[in-house]
Amino acid sequence: MSSTYDSNNIFFKIIRGEIPCDKVLESEHSLAFRDINPRAKVHVLVIPKKPYINLNDFVLYAEDLEKIDIFNCISQVVKQEKVTDSGYRVLTNIGYDGHQEVQHLHFHILGGQPLGGFIKKLVIN
Ligand code: AMP
């Protein structure tokens, strides 16, 4: 865990059971729940149970078992949500430029309908 991790973030409160979530799946090291403001028919967030700010933090500090677990969890959610064949998107926002709002690593799983282009073309300056 990075020394700058703030344990008051909303996802760590969910992990501690202080606020509820619409749980989809729980494994030993990961938790999956529905996004409160869904951007698509299927919008599930998958998070590690231990405190990591983002993917960089997770790669540096997580045990291999946690890394395997989170990808297995994503795979299981995709099956449960029945989007394996139709397709879906997995993404994680990191930091300021990535527009990360909650400072605890989370993977968005989006699907259940055509998602359009990956990202709108930005003005490059
Ligand atoms: P990001 O911009 O990648 O940090 O995304 C944060 C996501 O967390 C947003 O899609 C929010 O809608 C979602 N979110 C915030 N609070 C909650 C909550 N209490 N339960 C479920 N999802 C949440």
Side-chain angles (χ1 to χ4, degrees), residues 11 34-37 39 93 99-102 106 108:
F11 291 171
R34 295 197 191 283
D35 196 292
I36 207 167
N37 179 25
R39 306 318 202 275
N93 295 320
H99 212 283
Q100 180 180 3
E101 287 172 10
V102 180
H106 49 284
H108 296 258

Side-chain angles (χ1 to χ4, degrees), residues 75-88:
S75 174
Q76 188 60 41
V77 167
V78 164
K79 277 185 206 140
Q80 273 182 221
E81 297 296 312
K82 300 185 171 53
V83 293
T84 312
D85 293 338
S86 50
Y88 56 92

Side-chain angles (χ1 to χ4, degrees), residues 34-52:
R34 295 197 191 283
D35 196 292
I36 207 167
N37 179 25
R39 306 318 202 275
K41 213 176 210 171
V42 171
H43 190 172
V44 176
L45 301 172
V46 181
I47 67 174
K49 288 183 178 173
K50 285 197 187 153
Y52 303 106

Side-chain angles (χ1 to χ4, degrees), residues 119-125:
I119 189 171
K120 72 171 191 241
K121 189 161 169 36
L122 303 170
V123 176
I124 300 167
N125 50 26

